[in-house]
């Protein structure tokens, strides 16, 4: 960390936007309003997250202090900030969920995991050999902040517990698996 | 050394059979209803024959065995939860007479570790229990060699039956019930496999490890362990794991005073992904990195070897 807090630096922010008109504009406002200088916007149309959101990458310039305000303002505006500056989502985590996944609303399960952990689902495979009414399994890969794996796992256990789903955890959260 | 072997099942019988090979004599041998005692050393073959044919080891009573002349009591009665009886009282009887106790029975050191240690402190005798964790594998003695304070975590596959079931399910694409029945036919799983598949057996071993690692006197029992079994693992979950280069193993994990047992995703080629009835323990050491010990985690002669190794260390 640098201690010169007034120096302007460039940052990358990854956002996930709901696919609705006006969303992008709404996301850019907090940046301008808090003294950020927009450099580029990379709108990954066609690349949709498992939950139907659109990933957007924004490059901007700001002082570290203002940058923090920008991220806070974005989050206050209800915008999903996936990655901001140095705060990388660098730990991948794979779990398997089993149980009545479909009947207990899989997409709701995923968004609850996302909301309570700040981790993003980067990959999902579902196997429902007996049809959707029966027990099925899903392999889910998540990206989570460095050092937040233990926290993420305990949040996942809570969500799974509420829905009577079983979690097959990776070995040693944060470890070799 | 003169041994009193209490319990005449797979483990006790093997100890009796192998004792003379290791330079020991058996002066007392008991099952649940009978005993054979001879201060000059019993005739092992005769006692084992008698057990096989008549279901008793001799004409004495089990109490006679406890009061016989011996240097080491070998505790090989069934593992029980809670008060850990009758095993605990057998260990107590030996220590109160200033004799050593070597355990295959997990109960006393998993459920009443502090009581066992307290009795040991008052006694000239010592307590060793290598056989309780991982059969023939030298897990506890390795921890002891390194000193528990230099071990930061232990993870392992500590139940061969559960591992056999999971690895068969994964490679053959068969479901749980099918593989369990097959394991019972092969004698890999017992008629009542509950403690193997619900994680209890692995958890008891994890608890014993936690007790050994505990550096502040905290005592662990089965109640402190978070345990989940493999009964609900589906073929589809294993299939999804496999498509991703992973598999599922029942892993016991002892880290910083927590004991957890449950099915975990491990990379296909990870050391912990042993197959069949094989066991493995992975020690995380402070200065020497990761240490893997694998081998046969159960079986009469295997477990008896660990008992005899303990006797050699006394
Ligand atoms: N088998 C393994 O691979 C293995 C591995 C590690 C640890 N262990 C542990 O080692 C112990 C022995 O295992 P095992 O497989 O040999 O068990 P087992 O085949 O069930 O044998 C238990 C023996 O204990 C005897 N017994 C029961 N109550 C007794 C009493 N009050 N006094 C004297 N004897 C009594 C039984 O007598 P009867 O013959 O009259 O019924 C039987 O001979 C268990 O605690 C087990 O958890 C086993």
């Amino acid at each position: 960390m640098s201690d010169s807090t007034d120096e302007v630096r460039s940052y990358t922010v990854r956002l996930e936007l709901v696919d609705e008109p006006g969303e992008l504009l709404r996301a850019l406002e907090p940046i301008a309003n808090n003294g950020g200088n927009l450099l580029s916007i990379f709108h990954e149309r066609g690349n949709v997250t498992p939950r139907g959101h659109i990933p957007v990458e924004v490059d901007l310039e700001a002082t570290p202090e203002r940058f923090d305000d920008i991220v806070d303002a974005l989050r206050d505006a209800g915008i999903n900030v996936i990655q901001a500056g140095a705060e990388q989502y660098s730990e991948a985590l794979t779990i398997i969920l089993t149980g009545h996944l479909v009947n207990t609303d899989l997409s709701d399960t995923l968004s609850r995991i996302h909301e309570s952990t700040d981790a993003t689902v980067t990959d999902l495979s579902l196997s429902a050999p007996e049809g959707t009414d029966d027990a099925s399994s899903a392999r889910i890969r998540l990206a989570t902040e460095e050092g937040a794996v233990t926290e993420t796992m305990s949040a996942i256990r809570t969500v799974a517990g509420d829905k009577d789903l079983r979690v097959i955890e990776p070995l040693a959260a944060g470890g070799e698996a | 050394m003169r041994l009193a072997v209490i319990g005449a099942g797979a483990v006790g019988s093997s100890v009796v059979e192998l004792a003379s090979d290791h330079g020991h004599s058996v002066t007392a041998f008991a099952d649940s209803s009978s005993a054979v005692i001879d201060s000059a050393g019993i005739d092992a073959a005769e006692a084992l024959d008698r057990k096989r044919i008549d279901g008793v080891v001799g004409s004495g009573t089990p109490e006679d065995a406890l009061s016989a002349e011996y240097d080491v009591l070998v505790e090989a009665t069934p593992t029980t939860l809670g008060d850990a009886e009758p095993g605990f009282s057998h260990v107590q009887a030996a220590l109160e007479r200033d004799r050593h106790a070597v355990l295959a029975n997990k109960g006393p050191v998993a459920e009443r570790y502090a009581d066992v240690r307290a009795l040991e402190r008052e006694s000239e005798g010592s307590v060793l229990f290598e056989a309780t964790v991982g059969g023939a594998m030298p897990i506890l003695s390795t921890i002891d060699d390194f000193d528990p304070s230099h071990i930061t975590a232990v993870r392992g596959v500590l139940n061969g039956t559960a591992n056999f079931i999971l690895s068969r399910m994964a490679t053959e694409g068969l479901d749980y019930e099918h593989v369990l029945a097959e394991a019972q036919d092969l004698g890999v799983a017992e008629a009542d496999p509950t403690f193997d598949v619900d994680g209890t057996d692995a958890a008891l071993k994890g608890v014993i490890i936690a007790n050994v690692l505990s550096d502040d006197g905290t005592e662990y029992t089965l109640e402190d362990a978070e345990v989940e079994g493999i009964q609900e693992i589906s073929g589809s979950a294993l299939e999804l794991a496999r498509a991703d280069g992973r598999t599922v193993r029942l892993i016991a994990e002892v880290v910083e005073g927590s004991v957890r047992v449950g099915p975990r995703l491990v990379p296909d080629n990870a050391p912990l992904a042993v197959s069949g009835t094989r066991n493995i323990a992975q020690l995380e050491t402070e200065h020497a990195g990761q240490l893997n010990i694998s081998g046969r985690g159960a079986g009469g002669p295997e477990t008896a070897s660990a008992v005899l190794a303990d006797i050699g260390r006394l």
Side-chain angles (χ1 to χ4, degrees), chain B residues 1 106 150 175 281 297 309:
Chain B
M1 295 266 213
K106 297 173 271 284
H150 295 135
D175 65 26

Side-chain angles (χ1 to χ4, degrees), chain A:
Chain A
M1 274 280 150
S2 151
D3 44 23
S4 56
T5 51
D6 47 9
E7 187 188 317
V8 172
R9 299 203 283 179
S10 60
Y11 293 93
T12 300
V13 182
R14 273 182 78 84
L15 310 171
E16 271 186 0
L17 300 182
V18 183
D19 196 2
E20 272 170 24
E23 267 301 287
L24 183 58
L25 203 62
R26 202 167 74 81
L28 299 180
E29 261 168 23
I31 299 175
N33 292 350
N34 287 280
N37 180 23
L38 208 58
L39 298 176
S40 72
I41 303 168
F42 182 52
H43 197 176
E44 303 176 64
R45 260 220 181 278
N47 183 2
V48 176
T49 71
R51 294 179 306 116
H53 290 181
I54 299 168
V56 177
E57 222 175 62
V58 179
D59 288 338
L60 59 93
E61 280 178 336
T63 63
E65 208 172 86
R66 285 189 161 159
F67 179 68
D68 288 344
D69 294 341
I70 290 169
V71 174
D72 288 345
L74 284 166
R75 289 198 165 129
D76 286 347
I79 289 154
N80 238 334
V81 183
I82 301 310
Q83 178 187 317
E87 190 189 352
Q88 303 257 335
Y89 278 66
S90 52
E91 294 204 38
L93 189 68
T94 302
I95 60 165
I96 290 181
L97 283 180
T98 61
H100 289 275
L101 291 170
V102 182
N103 287 351
T104 58
D105 193 348
L106 182 57
S107 73
D108 173 67
T109 304
L110 296 180
S111 31
R112 282 191 54 195
I113 290 175
H114 181 81
E115 279 156 21
S116 53
T117 65
D118 249 345
T120 41
V121 174
T122 57
D123 184 64
L124 171 80
S125 304
L126 181 68
S127 166
E130 315 288 343
T132 54
D133 284 344
D134 232 309
S136 51
S137 305
R139 187 186 66 232
I140 301 167
R141 201 192 310 278
L142 298 141
T144 181
E145 270 172 51
E146 208 174 326
V149 173
T150 312
E151 223 175 288
T152 303
M153 276 316 311
S154 90
I156 291 171
R157 281 200 288 273
T158 308
V159 175
D162 288 351
K163 296 197 169 201
D164 202 21
L165 303 173
R166 318 202 112 227
V167 194
I168 304 180
E169 296 179 24
L171 179 69
E176 60 181 302

Side-chain angles (χ1 to χ4, degrees), chain B residues 86-291:
Chain B
F88 183 84
S89 291
H90 297 159
V91 172
Q92 180 169 23
L95 291 171
E96 283 177 353
R97 285 177 60 195
D98 289 325
R99 302 293 190 266
H100 304 294
V102 169
L103 288 80
N105 177 355
K106 297 173 271 284
V109 275
E111 295 286 68
R112 300 182 67 180
Y113 191 75
D115 290 341
V116 169
R117 286 303 194 197
L119 288 168
E120 187 191 30
R121 272 194 299 278
E122 299 299 314
S123 172
E124 301 280 306
S126 309
V127 181
L128 290 175
F129 43 95
E130 177 70 81
T132 60
V133 181
M137 297 149 60
I139 300 174
L140 299 182
S141 48
T142 304
I143 291 176
D144 192 51
D145 280 352
F146 271 77
D147 195 279
S149 65
H150 295 135
I151 307 288
T152 52
V154 178
R155 302 187 173 86
V157 170
L158 298 178
N159 185 281
T161 303
N163 203 65
F164 176 88
I165 293 173
L166 287 176
S167 49
R168 265 304 276 158
M169 282 176 73
T171 52
E172 307 297 323
L174 298 167
D175 65 26
Y176 174 80
E177 301 297 339
H178 184 114
V179 177
L180 174 59
E182 184 188 79
Q184 283 168 323
D185 288 344
L186 289 169
V188 167
E190 289 172 43
D192 179 4
T194 311
F195 279 8
D196 294 317
V197 298
D198 75 0
T200 304
D201 176 71
L204 288 170
K205 293 164 182 169
V207 163
I208 293 170
I209 292 171
N211 278 324
V212 168
L213 292 183
S214 171
D215 53 6
D216 58 0
T218 306
E219 181 188 11
Y220 298 88
T221 68
L222 188 58
E223 283 202 351
D224 301 305
E226 195 185 312
V227 190
E228 199 182 315
I230 61 164
Q231 304 97 312
E232 287 173 43
I233 299 292
S234 61
S236 65
L238 285 163
E239 191 50 49
L240 283 172
R242 184 158 74 157
D244 197 39
R246 286 158 213 264
T247 189
V248 178
R249 288 290 178 268
L250 183 70
I251 304 285
E253 237 182 315
V254 184
V255 188
E256 287 165 9
S258 89
V259 180
R260 298 183 67 212
V261 172
R264 301 277 180 266
L265 276 172
V266 296
D268 255 339
N269 54 5
L272 286 174
V274 288
S275 58
T277 55
R278 227 177 156 70
N279 282 26
I280 180 165
Q282 191 167 69
L283 312 187
E284 206 86 59
T285 69
E286 207 167 21
H287 306 297
Q290 237 169 35
L291 201 67

